[in-house]
Amino acid sequence: MTILIRGGTITTAEHSARGDVLCGGGKILAVGKSLEAPTGAEVVDAEGALVIPGGIDPHTHMELPFMGTVASEDFYSGTSAGLAGGTTMIIDFVIPGREDSPLDAYHTWRGWAAKAASDYSFHVAITSWSDRVHEEMGVLAHEHGVNSFKHFMAYKGAIMADDGVLLKSFSRALELGAIPTVHAENGEAVYHLQRSLLAEGIAGPEGHPLSRPPAVEGEAAERAITIANVLGAPLYIVHVSTEEATAAIARARAAGLRVFGEVLAQHLVVDESVYRNADWAYAAAHVMSPPFRSKHHQQALWAGLSSGQLQTTATDHCCFCAPQKARGLENFTAIPNGTPGIEDRMSVLWHHGVRTGRLTPNEFVRITSTAAAQIFNIYPRKGSLSVGADADLVVWDPSARRHISASTHHQKVDFNVYEGMEVEGSARHTLSAGRLVWTEGDLRAERGAGRYIDRPCFAPMTRANAIRHALEQPVAVPREPVPMTTPKGSRA
Ligand code: URQ
Ligand code: ZN
Ligand code: ZN
């Protein structure tokens, strides 16, 4: 299938220029002005639109078994919804139980994901430590293209990793050339606050944010940064939701540490008032962790994205329908945590980010695609419009208006966190591996067409290397003591 995308404004993280893109064999074959359409090629009109790299959502949980139930969105329906919104790749999570083998869990998730309609990859969570985990991290990194390992610092009694696990796993990741990532909330504090609130008779969804105040995220972010720093390891903090964690990341980056922050589109525009809604089901539908915050945190997150202190955007797409959320009717800690978002992330970021002047179109591409590709080492195959890259691209109509609603979305969930929102900016056409899978409202996602994408590890750097690297840095102060001079300037 050869497709020529003609007459658009080619917009990458670095540059914008009018031009055409020729795709064939699943790859980008040519980028330039006035390209000829080969015989038999399909021509897609991109007049008045941008041509951008397909969105990458580095944080999803399709059909996740969690809190006694299974997320309603599966790998086929969820990736299809993503394609309708301009997202052409997801990085989902393999989450083994504490007694499980990460490698066995990886194979289980691979089986589930085989139905995906777009390309996918996996972060693998480390939820306990043993010689077997140490060994299997190596197998996953060397034989299965896993270059990122996740650590939940929350969810005590379930998948929470304590500092001992973080230290061992971050060290192993560094040795392998993989990046550790964290869900940064102090799980012990959350557990304590949950028990206290229930004891006081606060059992409704309003208890959820009260049990996870901003300081709980700020402390955990600082702690994860410290642990990574003493080991010389990089760090990626998922779903940053507070000004405290944003500031911790900014301080770390200013000190030269390789720390990255991810922001969910939901946390940028939805605030904590949702938990005080009189409708229990509405409030419960918004229960996710970290919780939605007050508006000044949203300003800090936008500032983090505009300044480059926060790098990527995601959705943490983890769907539970009303009957599933009702498991927590008597006790908010039993409400399955998670909200949807994969279909609307890019429209929400364009409408509230680019149209308001917070972001340029190039920064929009960076935070929705290119940064994730670079951090997780799949650039320029993904996240670029370079010749030879996968033909994952979107004809983005910057002025197309959309009314967001669960009644019209493609997500397999009975709730939309942006319900009723009017947005400008949406995908007119989406190509996935060179196939036209979304075109002017017609979704042509193919079950099983998605491929697993290997993510190679970076050059391994042992701790010794890290120390030597640090010592080899130019020393600002001369090694020899500076001779003291007398007031007249003669040598002492
Ligand atoms: O914590 C996560 O990222 C998973 C379990 C999804 N749920 C959520 O509330 N974010
Ligand atoms: Zn999380
Ligand atoms: Zn998550």
Side-chain angles (χ1 to χ4, degrees):
M1 158 84 73
T2 304
I3 298 180
L4 177 65
I5 298 169
R6 179 177 280 167
T9 299
I10 295 168
T11 306
T12 66
E14 295 78 27
H15 184 58
S16 301
R18 282 187 61 78
D20 307 334
V21 181
L22 180 65
C23 305
K27 298 291 185 186
I28 293 177
L29 301 176
V31 179
K33 291 195 185 310
S34 313
L35 296 183
E36 280 299 310
T39 311
E42 181 172 356
V43 178
V44 171
D45 176 15
E47 200 55 49
L50 280 58
V51 182
I52 61 175
I56 298 172
D57 188 340
H59 191 154
T60 63
H61 299 282
M62 304 303 176
E63 52 194 290
L64 174 71
F66 190 55
M67 295 180 74
T69 184
V70 178
S72 57
E73 189 84 83
D74 66 50
F75 278 94
Y76 170 60
S77 59
T79 49
S80 301
L83 292 170
T87 290
T88 56
M89 180 179 173
I90 63 171
I91 308 181
D92 205 280
F93 290 82
V94 172
I95 306 180
R98 284 180 299 179
E99 308 306 320
D100 297 341
S101 146
L103 187 57
D104 290 351
Y106 164 81
H107 288 300
T108 299
W109 256 265
R110 283 294 305 269
W112 295 341
K115 64 173 84 76
S118 71
D119 288 355
Y120 57 93
S121 192
F122 287 113
H123 311 285
V124 175
I126 303 302
T127 56
S128 64
W129 191 256
S130 66
D131 291 346
R132 178 179 73 174
V133 169
H134 178 276
E135 185 208 340
E136 292 186 358
M137 285 176 74
V139 173
L140 287 162
H142 294 143
E143 298 174 26
H144 298 286
V146 173
N147 72 14
S148 51
F149 291 98
K150 172 75 174 291
H151 308 78
F152 291 93
M153 299 171 76
Y155 306 123
K156 176 180 168 67
I159 54 177
M160 185 176 98
D162 64 20
D163 290 0
V165 173
L166 297 190
L167 282 155
K168 294 186 187 89
S169 183
F170 282 26
S171 299
R172 180 60 167 151
L174 176 66
E175 197 175 81
L176 293 167
I179 185 166
T181 82
V182 293
H183 170 134
E185 288 185 298
N186 182 315
E188 293 289 353
V190 170
Y191 182 76
H192 180 86
L193 291 171
Q194 286 177 333
R195 302 277 79 80
S196 305
L197 288 158
L198 290 170
E200 291 163 30
I202 299 175
E206 73 281 5
H208 183 67
L210 299 177
S211 67
R212 311 179 98 96
V216 156
E217 177 180 284
E219 183 277 333
E222 201 70 73
R223 180 158 35 106
I225 289 168
T226 300
I227 288 173
N229 183 21
V230 299
L231 298 174
L235 179 68
Y236 180 93
I237 301 180
V238 306
H239 50 46
V240 173
S241 73
T242 60
E243 65 181 347
E244 287 85 345
T246 301
I249 293 167
R251 281 194 300 275
R253 292 177 63 85
L257 302 184
R258 198 162 295 285
V259 176
F260 303 105
E262 171 196 280
V263 181
L264 304 187
Q266 300 95 305
H267 279 130
L268 289 165
V269 296
V270 178
D271 69 62
E272 39 80 48
S273 62
V274 295
Y275 298 118
R276 296 192 292 275
N277 191 293
D279 176 346
W280 186 93
Y282 177 86
H286 289 86
V287 166
M288 71 166 296
S289 297
F292 295 109
R293 305 290 188 185
S294 51
K295 289 194 182 303
H296 75 274
H297 291 287
Q298 294 176 353
Q299 288 158 8
L301 298 177
W302 279 116
L305 288 173
S306 301
S307 66
Q309 295 298 358
L310 298 174
Q311 288 70 42
T312 64
T313 59
T315 65
D316 202 355
H317 188 78
C318 188
C319 303
F320 299 104
C321 295
Q324 294 174 289
K325 291 280 189 174
R327 298 171 61 87
L329 208 51
E330 306 302 324
N331 170 353
F332 71 84
T333 68
I335 299 172
N337 283 208
T339 60
I342 192 167
E343 184 166 354
D344 303 310
R345 171 181 65 126
M346 294 175 74
S347 288
V348 166
L349 286 165
W350 183 272
H351 185 84
H352 293 282
V354 179
R355 283 186 73 257
T356 59
R358 290 176 168 125
L359 299 167
T360 67
N362 308 99
E363 290 164 345
F364 168 78
V365 170
R366 175 167 299 287
I367 66 170
T368 58
S369 180
T370 305
Q374 291 171 334
I375 292 166
F376 295 112
N377 205 20
I378 47 179
Y379 181 87
R381 176 185 180 187
K382 300 291 186 184
S384 86
L385 292 179
S386 38
V387 172
D390 286 356
D392 294 351
L393 57 161
V394 179
V395 176
W396 185 262
D397 185 338
S399 51
R401 294 193 64 80
R402 207 153 65 80
H403 176 92
I404 296 178
S405 173
S407 60
T408 53
H409 72 199
H410 297 85
Q411 299 168 142
K412 193 154 78 171
V413 62
D414 59 3
F415 165 75
N416 190 305
V417 73
Y418 307 111
E419 186 66 38
M421 187 182 282
E422 295 289 339
V423 292
E424 264 188 29
S426 68
R428 184 191 297 170
H429 306 283
T430 303
L431 275 75
S432 171
R435 293 185 315 278
L436 199 54
V437 291
W438 168 258
T439 179
E440 296 179 313
D442 176 15
L443 184 54
R444 306 171 181 171
E446 288 172 41
R447 190 181 183 91
R451 299 164 300 181
Y452 175 74
I453 302 298
D454 276 330
R455 294 178 292 116
C457 282
F458 297 88
M461 182 184 271
T462 63
R463 169 134 181 77
N465 283 356
I467 292 170
R468 188 175 308 116
H469 176 73
L471 291 176
E472 279 157 9
Q473 299 313 306
V475 177
V477 177
R479 286 188 189 286
E480 298 305 317
V482 176
M484 297 309 290
T485 54
T486 57
K488 288 198 245 354
S490 61
R491 292 180 67 83

